Structure formats: structure tokens, C-alpha cells
Amino acid sequence: MTDYEHFFSRAALKSQGSAIRKMGVMAVRVPDMISFAPGYPDPAVYAWEEFREIAGELLTGRDGSVLQYGPTRGHKPLIEACQEILASRGITTTAEQMLISTGSQQGIDLVGRVLFDPGDVVLVELPAYTGAISAFRNTGATLVGVRQQADGIDLEDLDRALTRARAAGRTVRCLYLVPNFQNPTGLLLSLEKRQLLLAWASRADVLIVEDDPYGALYFEDTATAADTRPIKADDDEGRVIYLSSFSKTLAPGFRVAWMAAPEPVAAKLDLFKQTQDLMPPALDQHIIYQAYRRGILTGRLPMLRKFYQEKRTVMQEQLRAQLGDLITWPEPKGGFFLWATLPAHCSTDEMLLRAIEQHVIYVAGSAFFVDGTGANTLRLSFSLPSKEKIVEGVRRLTRVVKEEMAGRHKAPVEI
Ligand SMILES: Cc1ncc(COP(=O)(O)O)c(C=O)c1O
């Protein structure tokens, strides 16, 4: 057999698979598995009828651009639609600042390629979104974590991390964060801290990468649209690169997202994007554009907020009823995730194999920590399973958590 190791680049040798994607594969292999692992939207609330109608109209052959090559930055009418969405969030943009990306994941990857050299330090939250961790690590950058508090990133720890990195002679160009219903913690960054972060970025001369796929999905019992005001909305100096996506509100399969960056940065993102995908998928962009223009997106948002809020409520009620104060979590005020903390001696990595034995799955918190901590934490996603499955899944999880706490578990099975 050929040994391929010596063919790989240093970056490829260092690259690691995402814990979450692996969970997804496992969940499919085990029948009757209840998965709280991936942050998938629920297909039950996709606009199937409307998408079918729009796709049918688009695929008549009358408009060749629907299946043609197009601009790298994206379909112009869709860019304009995204600018309207941004304006509704308080962000004013020029067309030159805009790019449609093939999912926000591509946007994050592009940011890493455009901003970081090997050895640079990138500041991220503790814990942080794994897709960003992997993309940034692929550039050879070192990720340094900053603690979070109940109202988002800890500004004192942020300052300390920056000072330490610069004192060690490292280049620090940016802070990446998810201010609205963060993946994985569900935390909402306070409005006050958003302002303070802009002042900090100016003082420190760094850029902020604001990743906001969940902002539109606030839960009306605990949050308002005003609470989700993007940092970018008050960015007078052009320090913020803002990303958002149609994945969580319309459907991730279209792979359509967008980003707004200062013009010189957007120009570089455009150049790097040309070698990645030439352009975002044309048909998907047309469908998303029509879904926006016909009011399908805006019209469905109140229903989506309520739908996911109800699932959040069921999960919280079940956890409270069955686990009481054995675990703690911050109440998710929007988004897809509930972040649970077990007593310090517990290991959610070890517990995972026993959870799989009980046919329930989650993501162990350590996957999200760039500093190797978080062993007693886990992410539960309530977005995909039905309410009935959430009830049953929490019942199974309760058994596993109680065993872990009592330390009287059997040896795990191999899967
Ligand atoms: C914080 C965050 N950023 C980006 C993404 C990627 O989204 P997209 O489907 O637009 O690539 C996700 C998806 O889970 C996410 O949670």
C-alpha cells in the first residue's frame, strides 16, 4: 500500500476532523438515536411549497443566468437584498463592501486566508464555534481563548490576552466572536459590551469578525430585535467584518450566506474567493433571492422564532424536572443551543460513549475550547429533534448523567 503521509502539506498533516461532523455520522449509524449534536434547523419548517414553486418558475429555461456562471461576489439582486436586510439591522453598506459566500463557513475560511499568517495570534471566545477554530488553524495561526461571562466576552480577559500575545512578540490582527446566541453557549452579548468592544478594537488596532447566523432567531419571551443589534451597526471606523447566513432561517442546503467588510478587505476576499468557488451556486442564489423578494423569509420569521422557542422551553423544562440542580445552564434567549455544565469532576467526553449506548448524543464541550478546558461541559442542540424526541432524549441523558455523577458506570461499548 502507498503511504500518503509524506505527500501531505504541513497544514494537511495538522488538520483534524470536526467532532460535530463525526457525531453526525454516528447518529445516522445507530437506529433510534436521538441527536442533540448538530446545529441543524428542522426541515419541518422549511418553506417546501414556496421553494418548489420558485424553483419550477426558475427552471423554465427563460432566464439563462439561473444556471450560468456569474460574478464571484454574487448575484447582484441578491446582494441588494442582503443590503436591505443589513439596513434593517442598522448597518449601512456600499455594494463594494458586499460578498455572497457559499455558506458563512466559506466566509470564515476566506477571512482566515486574507488576514492571518502562520504564527499570528487570533483571539476567540472560550468556548468558540468549531468551524471557525478549524478554519483559522488551517492558516497556521495560533488561537488564544478569551473567557465569557453571562453577558458575553470578558473584556478584562480580552485585554490580558492581547497584552500577553503582543508582549510575546506575536501579531494579533483580530477577534472572532458570535455575539447573538453564540454557538455553542447560546449567550447573548450585552449592548454595552458591544460598544466597549468597538472602543477596544480602536485602541488595540485590531479588526472584529462578527459572525451572526442566529440573530434573527431571538425568542420573544426573553429578547427583542434591539438586543441583537450588530456590533457592525455602530462601526464608525470600519473595524468590523460582518457575516450572516440564510442557513438557519431558510435552509442550509442552499449554501447561501453573505458578508460585509471594509472595501479594501472585501476586495481581497473577492480575490481569494475566485480560487475557491468562482461564484456561489447560481440556482440557489436565485431561489433565495426570490424567497426574500416575495416576503417568504420575513413573513416566516415570527413563526420560526416561536417554533424554536417552544423546543427550547421543552428542553429546559425537562432538564429542570429530571436533573434539577445537578447541571446548570444559561437560558438560551434565541438560536439553537443549550450549554450545560456538570460538576467539575465529570468528563462529558467519557460520558459520551455511554450516552451513545443509551441512544442519545450530544457534543462534548471540550471540542469548543482552544485551551483544552471544558471537560465538564456539553452542548445540547434543541433545533432538530421534535418535542417528543426532546422529552425522550433528556430522559435518556438523565440516566447517563446520574451514572456519571455517581461514578458507577459500566465499560462503554465500541461502536
Ligand atoms: C456560528 C456559526 N457560524 C457559521 C456557521 C456556518 O453557517 P453556514 O451554513 O452559513 O455555512 C454556523 C453553522 O452552524 C455557525 O453556527
Side-chain angles (χ1 to χ4, degrees):
M1 281 292 281
T2 308
D3 171 15
Y4 293 96
E5 289 291 293
H6 65 286
F7 292 116
F8 292 132
S9 68
R10 274 191 288 278
L13 285 171
K14 274 208 243 159
S15 62
Q16 287 170 353
S18 142
I20 298 166
R21 301 212 76 89
K22 278 188 219 149
M23 302 282 114
V25 174
M26 250 190 236
V28 195
R29 276 170 43 192
V30 181
D32 183 35
M33 180 69 83
I34 294 180
S35 178
F36 296 137
Y40 290 0
D42 189 337
V45 281
Y46 293 165
W48 292 104
E49 296 284 322
E50 292 87 342
F51 291 151
R52 190 180 324 123
E53 200 178 299
I54 293 170
E57 286 173 29
L58 288 170
L59 291 173
T60 56
R62 281 193 289 272
D63 176 0
S65 77
V66 166
L67 293 179
Q68 188 54 280
Y69 284 117
T72 301
R73 284 185 184 231
H75 182 46
K76 197 159 169 282
L78 179 61
I79 291 177
E80 287 162 5
C82 291
Q83 288 182 275
E84 284 177 24
I85 297 174
L86 288 173
S88 76
R89 298 179 186 176
I91 301 171
T92 312
T93 49
T94 62
E96 290 68 32
Q97 295 170 340
M98 298 292 299
L99 285 98
I100 304 296
S101 58
T102 304
S104 272
Q105 187 58 43
Q106 183 193 41
I108 294 167
D109 191 77
L110 285 169
V111 164
R113 287 167 195 271
V114 165
L115 297 188
F116 311 141
D117 286 317
D120 282 2
V121 162
V122 185
L123 301 170
V124 299
E125 293 156 308
L126 279 176
Y129 167 55
T130 52
I133 295 178
S134 305
F136 294 161
R137 280 201 175 132
N138 282 346
T139 69
T142 304
L143 275 61
V144 170
V146 180
R147 281 201 295 270
Q148 294 195 77
Q149 296 159 318
D151 61 348
I153 197 159
D154 178 337
L155 295 171
E156 283 176 18
D157 202 38
L158 178 64
D159 236 1
R160 272 194 298 272
L162 175 77
T163 308
R164 227 180 294 124
R166 289 203 169 144
R170 308 291 285 272
T171 301
V172 185
R173 297 187 223 266
C174 112
L175 163 71
Y176 164 83
L177 83 175
V178 182
N180 293 324
F181 321 120
Q182 196 228 11
N183 181 359
T185 59
L187 288 174
L188 176 64
L189 182 70
S190 71
L191 293 177
E192 192 196 350
K193 279 193 173 174
R194 293 174 198 235
Q195 296 300 325
L196 292 170
L197 271 175
L198 281 170
W200 170 83
S202 174
R203 266 196 323 275
D205 191 20
V206 295
L207 298 180
I208 294 176
V209 179
E210 179 178 25
D211 185 12
D212 185 20
Y214 302 103
L217 296 175
Y218 54 88
F219 299 152
E220 288 174 10
D221 60 353
T222 42
T224 64
D227 295 328
T228 66
R229 182 177 171 83
I231 302 171
K232 177 86 182 152
D234 300 300
D235 174 26
D236 300 331
E237 288 186 15
R239 294 219 167 251
V240 182
I241 300 169
Y242 179 86
L243 302 103
S244 193
S245 175
F246 294 102
S247 284
K248 313 295 177 177
T249 50
L250 284 175
F254 291 116
R255 310 307 302 130
V256 179
W258 74 97
M259 54 203 301
E263 275 180 36
V265 179
K268 292 288 183 201
L269 292 167
D270 181 350
L271 290 177
F272 276 67
K273 189 172 187 300
Q274 289 171 18
T275 63
Q276 282 198 349
D277 65 355
L278 294 181
M279 57 176 284
L283 177 60
D284 302 61
Q285 292 186 87
H286 275 83
I287 294 175
I288 294 287
Y289 169 66
Q290 287 298 332
Y292 173 75
R293 198 44 81 213
R294 296 177 192 196
I296 294 162
L297 171 64
T298 319
R300 294 172 67 83
L301 283 174
M303 176 276 290
L304 292 173
R305 288 177 194 128
K306 192 157 168 289
F307 181 80
Y308 291 115
Q309 177 184 308
E310 282 176 14
K311 290 194 184 201
R312 183 281 324 259
T313 300
V314 171
M315 180 173 270
Q316 287 205 129
E317 283 172 359
Q318 291 303 310
L319 288 171
R320 231 174 259 135
Q322 306 207 34
L323 284 163
D325 50 13
L326 293 178
I327 66 167
T328 57
W329 66 90
E331 175 171 50
K333 297 178 178 168
F336 286 0
F337 307 109
L338 185 144
W339 179 251
T341 302
L342 276 62
H345 69 276
C346 295
S347 162
T348 54
D349 273 303
E350 285 174 24
M351 196 175 85
L352 185 56
L353 289 171
R354 290 190 301 282
I356 293 168
E357 238 187 327
Q358 297 292 332
H359 292 193
V360 63
I361 197 165
Y362 57 82
V363 185
S366 58
F368 304 96
F369 284 83
V370 296
D371 66 350
T373 61
N376 61 329
T377 58
L378 59 98
R379 189 190 78 176
L380 298 173
S381 172
F382 48 80
S383 51
L384 180 60
S386 65
K387 289 186 213 166
E388 295 70 31
K389 287 249 166 84
I390 293 177
V391 173
E392 174 56 21
V394 171
R395 206 178 56 74
R396 295 178 190 178
L397 187 67
T398 298
R399 211 176 313 149
V400 180
V401 169
K402 287 190 170 164
E403 271 184 19
E404 170 73 15
M405 286 183 185
R408 57 180 163 74
H409 40 79
K410 306 182 282 167
V413 284
E414 282 291 321
I415 299 201

